[in-house]
Amino acid sequence: QVQLVESGGGLVQAGGSLRLSCAASGRTFSSYAMGWFRQAPGKEREFVAGINWSGGGTYYADSVKGRFTISRDNAKNTVYLQMNSLKPEDTAVYYCAAHAHGSNGYDYWGQGTQVTVSS
């Protein structure tokens, strides 16, 4: 069982930056691949970025590639999402999720943190 708690959301002007954090409970954090997703009002939840258990592999949605960076610190049981050059269309609730090895999908989800980008 893994519990995930996101933080770092807020209101920022277009072109600004935010760093989201996701703190995980449990001693097996390093065995999980992690991901960030987002859901804007009236839209389906979409994948934003993913990172493998070691941090050596990262993956991004085309819409955020070159602007967002996912990273993790297994010693701190934390995954981060650095968001630069933010756009109004990045406005959404951002969720982190944990993917167990061998699982078909993401098994655990946080409660989400709101990111609002003003124009």
PDB file of all heavy atoms in Angstrom, residues 82-115:
ATOM      1  N   GLN A  82       8.912  19.675 -12.162  1.00  0.00           N
ATOM      2  CA  GLN A  82       9.297  21.064 -12.371  1.00  0.00           C
ATOM      3  C   GLN A  82       8.606  21.550 -13.639  1.00  0.00           C
ATOM      4  O   GLN A  82       8.783  20.964 -14.718  1.00  0.00           O
ATOM      5  CB  GLN A  82      10.813  21.182 -12.513  1.00  0.00           C
ATOM      6  CG  GLN A  82      11.299  22.586 -12.806  1.00  0.00           C
ATOM      7  CD  GLN A  82      11.077  23.541 -11.647  1.00  0.00           C
ATOM      8  OE1 GLN A  82      11.330  23.199 -10.501  1.00  0.00           O
ATOM      9  NE2 GLN A  82      10.601  24.744 -11.949  1.00  0.00           N
ATOM     10  N   MET A  83       7.840  22.608 -13.511  1.00  0.00           N
ATOM     11  CA  MET A  83       7.062  23.128 -14.634  1.00  0.00           C
ATOM     12  C   MET A  83       7.531  24.549 -14.944  1.00  0.00           C
ATOM     13  O   MET A  83       7.396  25.443 -14.095  1.00  0.00           O
ATOM     14  CB  MET A  83       5.572  23.120 -14.291  1.00  0.00           C
ATOM     15  CG  MET A  83       5.055  21.759 -13.847  1.00  0.00           C
ATOM     16  SD  MET A  83       3.274  21.713 -13.606  1.00  0.00           S
ATOM     17  CE  MET A  83       3.107  22.838 -12.221  1.00  0.00           C
ATOM     18  N   ASN A  84       8.084  24.718 -16.122  1.00  0.00           N
ATOM     19  CA  ASN A  84       8.566  26.023 -16.570  1.00  0.00           C
ATOM     20  C   ASN A  84       7.762  26.497 -17.779  1.00  0.00           C
ATOM     21  O   ASN A  84       7.079  25.709 -18.423  1.00  0.00           O
ATOM     22  CB  ASN A  84      10.046  25.934 -16.945  1.00  0.00           C
ATOM     23  CG  ASN A  84      10.919  25.543 -15.782  1.00  0.00           C
ATOM     24  OD1 ASN A  84      10.638  25.874 -14.629  1.00  0.00           O
ATOM     25  ND2 ASN A  84      12.004  24.833 -16.075  1.00  0.00           N
ATOM     26  N   SER A  85       7.871  27.766 -18.067  1.00  0.00           N
ATOM     27  CA  SER A  85       7.177  28.357 -19.220  1.00  0.00           C
ATOM     28  C   SER A  85       5.707  27.962 -19.238  1.00  0.00           C
ATOM     29  O   SER A  85       5.170  27.532 -20.265  1.00  0.00           O
ATOM     30  CB  SER A  85       7.862  27.917 -20.522  1.00  0.00           C
ATOM     31  OG  SER A  85       9.217  28.283 -20.533  1.00  0.00           O
ATOM     32  N   LEU A  86       5.069  28.111 -18.119  1.00  0.00           N
ATOM     33  CA  LEU A  86       3.687  27.679 -17.989  1.00  0.00           C
ATOM     34  C   LEU A  86       2.756  28.483 -18.876  1.00  0.00           C
ATOM     35  O   LEU A  86       2.956  29.690 -19.104  1.00  0.00           O
ATOM     36  CB  LEU A  86       3.239  27.777 -16.530  1.00  0.00           C
ATOM     37  CG  LEU A  86       3.757  26.634 -15.645  1.00  0.00           C
ATOM     38  CD1 LEU A  86       3.690  27.003 -14.178  1.00  0.00           C
ATOM     39  CD2 LEU A  86       2.966  25.363 -15.909  1.00  0.00           C
ATOM     40  N   LYS A  87       1.728  27.789 -19.368  1.00  0.00           N
ATOM     41  CA  LYS A  87       0.730  28.380 -20.255  1.00  0.00           C
ATOM     42  C   LYS A  87      -0.647  28.258 -19.613  1.00  0.00           C
ATOM     43  O   LYS A  87      -0.872  27.353 -18.799  1.00  0.00           O
ATOM     44  CB  LYS A  87       0.733  27.639 -21.595  1.00  0.00           C
ATOM     45  CG  LYS A  87       2.081  27.570 -22.289  1.00  0.00           C
ATOM     46  CD  LYS A  87       1.994  26.705 -23.534  1.00  0.00           C
ATOM     47  CE  LYS A  87       3.342  26.604 -24.230  1.00  0.00           C
ATOM     48  NZ  LYS A  87       3.269  25.754 -25.455  1.00  0.00           N
ATOM     49  N   PRO A  88      -1.575  29.110 -19.996  1.00  0.00           N
ATOM     50  CA  PRO A  88      -2.936  28.983 -19.444  1.00  0.00           C
ATOM     51  C   PRO A  88      -3.533  27.592 -19.659  1.00  0.00           C
ATOM     52  O   PRO A  88      -4.283  27.107 -18.813  1.00  0.00           O
ATOM     53  CB  PRO A  88      -3.715  30.055 -20.202  1.00  0.00           C
ATOM     54  CG  PRO A  88      -2.696  31.098 -20.508  1.00  0.00           C
ATOM     55  CD  PRO A  88      -1.431  30.324 -20.797  1.00  0.00           C
ATOM     56  N   GLU A  89      -3.183  26.947 -20.749  1.00  0.00           N
ATOM     57  CA  GLU A  89      -3.723  25.612 -21.021  1.00  0.00           C
ATOM     58  C   GLU A  89      -3.130  24.538 -20.114  1.00  0.00           C
ATOM     59  O   GLU A  89      -3.557  23.383 -20.153  1.00  0.00           O
ATOM     60  CB  GLU A  89      -3.528  25.225 -22.493  1.00  0.00           C
ATOM     61  CG  GLU A  89      -2.119  25.393 -23.011  1.00  0.00           C
ATOM     62  CD  GLU A  89      -1.921  26.715 -23.746  1.00  0.00           C
ATOM     63  OE1 GLU A  89      -2.409  27.762 -23.248  1.00  0.00           O
ATOM     64  OE2 GLU A  89      -1.259  26.693 -24.800  1.00  0.00           O
ATOM     65  N   ASP A  90      -2.144  24.882 -19.301  1.00  0.00           N
ATOM     66  CA  ASP A  90      -1.626  23.950 -18.301  1.00  0.00           C
ATOM     67  C   ASP A  90      -2.487  23.943 -17.032  1.00  0.00           C
ATOM     68  O   ASP A  90      -2.254  23.134 -16.132  1.00  0.00           O
ATOM     69  CB  ASP A  90      -0.192  24.306 -17.908  1.00  0.00           C
ATOM     70  CG  ASP A  90       0.786  24.139 -19.061  1.00  0.00           C
ATOM     71  OD1 ASP A  90       0.679  23.132 -19.784  1.00  0.00           O
ATOM     72  OD2 ASP A  90       1.655  25.017 -19.224  1.00  0.00           O
ATOM     73  N   THR A  91      -3.454  24.832 -16.963  1.00  0.00           N
ATOM     74  CA  THR A  91      -4.336  24.890 -15.808  1.00  0.00           C
ATOM     75  C   THR A  91      -5.103  23.582 -15.643  1.00  0.00           C
ATOM     76  O   THR A  91      -5.763  23.118 -16.582  1.00  0.00           O
ATOM     77  CB  THR A  91      -5.323  26.058 -15.946  1.00  0.00           C
ATOM     78  OG1 THR A  91      -4.601  27.286 -15.919  1.00  0.00           O
ATOM     79  CG2 THR A  91      -6.342  26.052 -14.818  1.00  0.00           C
ATOM     80  N   ALA A  92      -4.991  22.986 -14.467  1.00  0.00           N
ATOM     81  CA  ALA A  92      -5.622  21.690 -14.210  1.00  0.00           C
ATOM     82  C   ALA A  92      -5.345  21.285 -12.770  1.00  0.00           C
ATOM     83  O   ALA A  92      -4.532  21.908 -12.080  1.00  0.00           O
ATOM     84  CB  ALA A  92      -5.067  20.622 -15.154  1.00  0.00           C
ATOM     85  N   VAL A  93      -6.012  20.229 -12.355  1.00  0.00           N
ATOM     86  CA  VAL A  93      -5.630  19.538 -11.127  1.00  0.00           C
ATOM     87  C   VAL A  93      -4.585  18.501 -11.512  1.00  0.00           C
ATOM     88  O   VAL A  93      -4.809  17.707 -12.429  1.00  0.00           O
ATOM     89  CB  VAL A  93      -6.833  18.880 -10.446  1.00  0.00           C
ATOM     90  CG1 VAL A  93      -6.386  18.119  -9.193  1.00  0.00           C
ATOM     91  CG2 VAL A  93      -7.878  19.926 -10.080  1.00  0.00           C
ATOM     92  N   TYR A  94      -3.465  18.523 -10.814  1.00  0.00           N
ATOM     93  CA  TYR A  94      -2.364  17.611 -11.110  1.00  0.00           C
ATOM     94  C   TYR A  94      -2.323  16.503 -10.061  1.00  0.00           C
ATOM     95  O   TYR A  94      -2.377  16.770  -8.850  1.00  0.00           O
ATOM     96  CB  TYR A  94      -1.038  18.374 -11.131  1.00  0.00           C
ATOM     97  CG  TYR A  94      -0.848  19.157 -12.401  1.00  0.00           C
ATOM     98  CD1 TYR A  94      -1.603  20.304 -12.648  1.00  0.00           C
ATOM     99  CD2 TYR A  94       0.073  18.760 -13.369  1.00  0.00           C
ATOM    100  CE1 TYR A  94      -1.453  21.023 -13.827  1.00  0.00           C
ATOM    101  CE2 TYR A  94       0.238  19.477 -14.548  1.00  0.00           C
ATOM    102  CZ  TYR A  94      -0.532  20.601 -14.767  1.00  0.00           C
ATOM    103  OH  TYR A  94      -0.386  21.309 -15.929  1.00  0.00           O
ATOM    104  N   TYR A  95      -2.207  15.280 -10.550  1.00  0.00           N
ATOM    105  CA  TYR A  95      -2.188  14.106  -9.693  1.00  0.00           C
ATOM    106  C   TYR A  95      -0.894  13.334  -9.895  1.00  0.00           C
ATOM    107  O   TYR A  95      -0.424  13.202 -11.027  1.00  0.00           O
ATOM    108  CB  TYR A  95      -3.340  13.163 -10.045  1.00  0.00           C
ATOM    109  CG  TYR A  95      -4.714  13.747  -9.910  1.00  0.00           C
ATOM    110  CD1 TYR A  95      -5.317  14.413 -10.974  1.00  0.00           C
ATOM    111  CD2 TYR A  95      -5.425  13.614  -8.720  1.00  0.00           C
ATOM    112  CE1 TYR A  95      -6.599  14.939 -10.856  1.00  0.00           C
ATOM    113  CE2 TYR A  95      -6.705  14.138  -8.592  1.00  0.00           C
ATOM    114  CZ  TYR A  95      -7.275  14.804  -9.662  1.00  0.00           C
ATOM    115  OH  TYR A  95      -8.542  15.319  -9.534  1.00  0.00           O
ATOM    116  N   CYS A  96      -0.341  12.808  -8.816  1.00  0.00           N
ATOM    117  CA  CYS A  96       0.735  11.848  -8.980  1.00  0.00           C
ATOM    118  C   CYS A  96       0.181  10.442  -8.768  1.00  0.00           C
ATOM    119  O   CYS A  96      -0.867  10.260  -8.113  1.00  0.00           O
ATOM    120  CB  CYS A  96       1.905  12.130  -8.062  1.00  0.00           C
ATOM    121  SG  CYS A  96       1.648  11.746  -6.332  1.00  0.00           S
ATOM    122  N   ALA A  97       0.849   9.481  -9.337  1.00  0.00           N
ATOM    123  CA  ALA A  97       0.384   8.102  -9.289  1.00  0.00           C
ATOM    124  C   ALA A  97       1.579   7.159  -9.256  1.00  0.00           C
ATOM    125  O   ALA A  97       2.655   7.481  -9.773  1.00  0.00           O
ATOM    126  CB  ALA A  97      -0.493   7.803 -10.502  1.00  0.00           C
ATOM    127  N   ALA A  98       1.360   6.003  -8.658  1.00  0.00           N
ATOM    128  CA  ALA A  98       2.403   4.982  -8.532  1.00  0.00           C
ATOM    129  C   ALA A  98       2.017   3.731  -9.312  1.00  0.00           C
ATOM    130  O   ALA A  98       0.869   3.275  -9.238  1.00  0.00           O
ATOM    131  CB  ALA A  98       2.630   4.640  -7.062  1.00  0.00           C
ATOM    132  N   HIS A  99       2.982   3.191 -10.019  1.00  0.00           N
ATOM    133  CA  HIS A  99       2.779   2.041 -10.897  1.00  0.00           C
ATOM    134  C   HIS A  99       3.657   0.895 -10.388  1.00  0.00           C
ATOM    135  O   HIS A  99       4.883   0.985 -10.438  1.00  0.00           O
ATOM    136  CB  HIS A  99       3.167   2.450 -12.313  1.00  0.00           C
ATOM    137  CG  HIS A  99       2.940   1.407 -13.356  1.00  0.00           C
ATOM    138  ND1 HIS A  99       3.586   0.196 -13.366  1.00  0.00           N
ATOM    139  CD2 HIS A  99       2.145   1.412 -14.443  1.00  0.00           C
ATOM    140  CE1 HIS A  99       3.204  -0.495 -14.409  1.00  0.00           C
ATOM    141  NE2 HIS A  99       2.329   0.204 -15.072  1.00  0.00           N
ATOM    142  N   ALA A 100       3.027  -0.158  -9.908  1.00  0.00           N
ATOM    143  CA  ALA A 100       3.786  -1.294  -9.395  1.00  0.00           C
ATOM    144  C   ALA A 100       4.331  -2.133 -10.543  1.00  0.00           C
ATOM    145  O   ALA A 100       3.703  -2.244 -11.598  1.00  0.00           O
ATOM    146  CB  ALA A 100       2.898  -2.149  -8.502  1.00  0.00           C
ATOM    147  N   HIS A 101       5.486  -2.724 -10.324  1.00  0.00           N
ATOM    148  CA  HIS A 101       6.089  -3.592 -11.331  1.00  0.00           C
ATOM    149  C   HIS A 101       5.153  -4.747 -11.673  1.00  0.00           C
ATOM    150  O   HIS A 101       4.631  -5.403 -10.783  1.00  0.00           O
ATOM    151  CB  HIS A 101       7.413  -4.144 -10.810  1.00  0.00           C
ATOM    152  CG  HIS A 101       8.110  -5.043 -11.783  1.00  0.00           C
ATOM    153  ND1 HIS A 101       8.679  -4.579 -12.951  1.00  0.00           N
ATOM    154  CD2 HIS A 101       8.300  -6.383 -11.777  1.00  0.00           C
ATOM    155  CE1 HIS A 101       9.202  -5.593 -13.608  1.00  0.00           C
ATOM    156  NE2 HIS A 101       8.993  -6.692 -12.922  1.00  0.00           N
ATOM    157  N   GLY A 102       4.907  -4.933 -12.935  1.00  0.00           N
ATOM    158  CA  GLY A 102       4.035  -6.009 -13.373  1.00  0.00           C
ATOM    159  C   GLY A 102       2.573  -5.649 -13.433  1.00  0.00           C
ATOM    160  O   GLY A 102       1.752  -6.423 -13.934  1.00  0.00           O
ATOM    161  N   SER A 103       2.225  -4.493 -12.928  1.00  0.00           N
ATOM    162  CA  SER A 103       0.822  -4.056 -12.956  1.00  0.00           C
ATOM    163  C   SER A 103       0.457  -3.554 -14.347  1.00  0.00           C
ATOM    164  O   SER A 103       1.310  -3.099 -15.109  1.00  0.00           O
ATOM    165  CB  SER A 103       0.610  -2.957 -11.921  1.00  0.00           C
ATOM    166  OG  SER A 103      -0.693  -2.420 -12.031  1.00  0.00           O
ATOM    167  N   ASN A 104      -0.833  -3.599 -14.651  1.00  0.00           N
ATOM    168  CA  ASN A 104      -1.288  -3.126 -15.951  1.00  0.00           C
ATOM    169  C   ASN A 104      -1.477  -1.623 -16.012  1.00  0.00           C
ATOM    170  O   ASN A 104      -1.673  -1.067 -17.093  1.00  0.00           O
ATOM    171  CB  ASN A 104      -2.617  -3.804 -16.317  1.00  0.00           C
ATOM    172  CG  ASN A 104      -2.432  -5.276 -16.635  1.00  0.00           C
ATOM    173  OD1 ASN A 104      -1.383  -5.677 -17.127  1.00  0.00           O
ATOM    174  ND2 ASN A 104      -3.429  -6.079 -16.335  1.00  0.00           N
ATOM    175  N   GLY A 105      -1.460  -0.978 -14.879  1.00  0.00           N
ATOM    176  CA  GLY A 105      -1.687   0.457 -14.868  1.00  0.00           C
ATOM    177  C   GLY A 105      -1.194   1.054 -13.573  1.00  0.00           C
ATOM    178  O   GLY A 105      -0.466   0.412 -12.820  1.00  0.00           O
ATOM    179  N   TYR A 106      -1.596   2.291 -13.326  1.00  0.00           N
ATOM    180  CA  TYR A 106      -1.208   2.956 -12.090  1.00  0.00           C
ATOM    181  C   TYR A 106      -2.132   2.490 -10.962  1.00  0.00           C
ATOM    182  O   TYR A 106      -3.357   2.507 -11.107  1.00  0.00           O
ATOM    183  CB  TYR A 106      -1.256   4.468 -12.273  1.00  0.00           C
ATOM    184  CG  TYR A 106      -0.095   4.979 -13.084  1.00  0.00           C
ATOM    185  CD1 TYR A 106      -0.123   4.957 -14.480  1.00  0.00           C
ATOM    186  CD2 TYR A 106       1.056   5.434 -12.459  1.00  0.00           C
ATOM    187  CE1 TYR A 106       0.964   5.394 -15.222  1.00  0.00           C
ATOM    188  CE2 TYR A 106       2.143   5.888 -13.190  1.00  0.00           C
ATOM    189  CZ  TYR A 106       2.093   5.861 -14.574  1.00  0.00           C
ATOM    190  OH  TYR A 106       3.177   6.292 -15.299  1.00  0.00           O
ATOM    191  N   ASP A 107      -1.512   2.105  -9.864  1.00  0.00           N
ATOM    192  CA  ASP A 107      -2.251   1.447  -8.802  1.00  0.00           C
ATOM    193  C   ASP A 107      -2.690   2.391  -7.683  1.00  0.00           C
ATOM    194  O   ASP A 107      -3.685   2.130  -7.009  1.00  0.00           O
ATOM    195  CB  ASP A 107      -1.379   0.348  -8.188  1.00  0.00           C
ATOM    196  CG  ASP A 107      -0.867  -0.620  -9.243  1.00  0.00           C
ATOM    197  OD1 ASP A 107      -1.657  -1.487  -9.664  1.00  0.00           O
ATOM    198  OD2 ASP A 107       0.302  -0.504  -9.638  1.00  0.00           O
ATOM    199  N   TYR A 108      -1.927   3.443  -7.457  1.00  0.00           N
ATOM    200  CA  TYR A 108      -2.209   4.358  -6.356  1.00  0.00           C
ATOM    201  C   TYR A 108      -2.186   5.794  -6.880  1.00  0.00           C
ATOM    202  O   TYR A 108      -1.357   6.143  -7.725  1.00  0.00           O
ATOM    203  CB  TYR A 108      -1.183   4.188  -5.233  1.00  0.00           C
ATOM    204  CG  TYR A 108      -1.106   2.785  -4.703  1.00  0.00           C
ATOM    205  CD1 TYR A 108      -0.082   1.928  -5.088  1.00  0.00           C
ATOM    206  CD2 TYR A 108      -2.077   2.301  -3.832  1.00  0.00           C
ATOM    207  CE1 TYR A 108      -0.013   0.627  -4.618  1.00  0.00           C
ATOM    208  CE2 TYR A 108      -2.019   1.005  -3.353  1.00  0.00           C
ATOM    209  CZ  TYR A 108      -0.984   0.177  -3.757  1.00  0.00           C
ATOM    210  OH  TYR A 108      -0.942  -1.105  -3.282  1.00  0.00           O
ATOM    211  N   TRP A 109      -3.087   6.602  -6.316  1.00  0.00           N
ATOM    212  CA  TRP A 109      -3.233   7.982  -6.756  1.00  0.00           C
ATOM    213  C   TRP A 109      -3.284   8.923  -5.552  1.00  0.00           C
ATOM    214  O   TRP A 109      -3.812   8.562  -4.491  1.00  0.00           O
ATOM    215  CB  TRP A 109      -4.540   8.145  -7.547  1.00  0.00           C
ATOM    216  CG  TRP A 109      -4.535   7.376  -8.829  1.00  0.00           C
ATOM    217  CD1 TRP A 109      -4.811   6.046  -9.003  1.00  0.00           C
ATOM    218  CD2 TRP A 109      -4.214   7.884 -10.118  1.00  0.00           C
ATOM    219  NE1 TRP A 109      -4.684   5.707 -10.318  1.00  0.00           N
ATOM    220  CE2 TRP A 109      -4.320   6.809 -11.028  1.00  0.00           C
ATOM    221  CE3 TRP A 109      -3.853   9.139 -10.597  1.00  0.00           C
ATOM    222  CZ2 TRP A 109      -4.073   6.965 -12.397  1.00  0.00           C
ATOM    223  CZ3 TRP A 109      -3.611   9.290 -11.958  1.00  0.00           C
ATOM    224  CH2 TRP A 109      -3.729   8.208 -12.837  1.00  0.00           C
ATOM    225  N   GLY A 110      -2.738  10.130  -5.767  1.00  0.00           N
ATOM    226  CA  GLY A 110      -2.874  11.163  -4.766  1.00  0.00           C
ATOM    227  C   GLY A 110      -4.199  11.903  -4.911  1.00  0.00           C
ATOM    228  O   GLY A 110      -4.994  11.590  -5.799  1.00  0.00           O
ATOM    229  N   GLN A 111      -4.393  12.875  -4.058  1.00  0.00           N
ATOM    230  CA  GLN A 111      -5.659  13.606  -4.050  1.00  0.00           C
ATOM    231  C   GLN A 111      -5.668  14.772  -5.032  1.00  0.00           C
ATOM    232  O   GLN A 111      -6.724  15.342  -5.314  1.00  0.00           O
ATOM    233  CB  GLN A 111      -5.972  14.123  -2.634  1.00  0.00           C
ATOM    234  CG  GLN A 111      -5.293  15.438  -2.252  1.00  0.00           C
ATOM    235  CD  GLN A 111      -3.792  15.326  -2.061  1.00  0.00           C
ATOM    236  OE1 GLN A 111      -3.240  14.233  -1.999  1.00  0.00           O
ATOM    237  NE2 GLN A 111      -3.131  16.478  -1.972  1.00  0.00           N
ATOM    238  N   GLY A 112      -4.507  15.136  -5.539  1.00  0.00           N
ATOM    239  CA  GLY A 112      -4.413  16.199  -6.522  1.00  0.00           C
ATOM    240  C   GLY A 112      -4.069  17.556  -5.930  1.00  0.00           C
ATOM    241  O   GLY A 112      -4.338  17.831  -4.754  1.00  0.00           O
ATOM    242  N   THR A 113      -3.453  18.394  -6.752  1.00  0.00           N
ATOM    243  CA  THR A 113      -3.145  19.764  -6.372  1.00  0.00           C
ATOM    244  C   THR A 113      -3.475  20.673  -7.560  1.00  0.00           C
ATOM    245  O   THR A 113      -3.173  20.345  -8.702  1.00  0.00           O
ATOM    246  CB  THR A 113      -1.675  19.905  -5.934  1.00  0.00           C
ATOM    247  OG1 THR A 113      -1.435  21.224  -5.452  1.00  0.00           O
ATOM    248  CG2 THR A 113      -0.702  19.608  -7.073  1.00  0.00           C
ATOM    249  N   GLN A 114      -4.109  21.803  -7.265  1.00  0.00           N
ATOM    250  CA  GLN A 114      -4.577  22.692  -8.316  1.00  0.00           C
ATOM    251  C   GLN A 114      -3.451  23.577  -8.820  1.00  0.00           C
ATOM    252  O   GLN A 114      -2.741  24.210  -8.024  1.00  0.00           O
ATOM    253  CB  GLN A 114      -5.725  23.570  -7.795  1.00  0.00           C
ATOM    254  CG  GLN A 114      -6.232  24.602  -8.786  1.00  0.00           C
ATOM    255  CD  GLN A 114      -6.991  23.975  -9.941  1.00  0.00           C
ATOM    256  OE1 GLN A 114      -7.855  23.120  -9.736  1.00  0.00           O
ATOM    257  NE2 GLN A 114      -6.695  24.404 -11.165  1.00  0.00           N
ATOM    258  N   VAL A 115      -3.320  23.651 -10.126  1.00  0.00           N
ATOM    259  CA  VAL A 115      -2.404  24.584 -10.782  1.00  0.00           C
ATOM    260  C   VAL A 115      -3.238  25.486 -11.683  1.00  0.00           C
ATOM    261  O   VAL A 115      -3.986  24.992 -12.536  1.00  0.00           O
ATOM    262  CB  VAL A 115      -1.337  23.841 -11.601  1.00  0.00           C
ATOM    263  CG1 VAL A 115      -0.524  24.830 -12.443  1.00  0.00           C
ATOM    264  CG2 VAL A 115      -0.422  23.039 -10.692  1.00  0.00           C
TER     265      VAL A 115
END
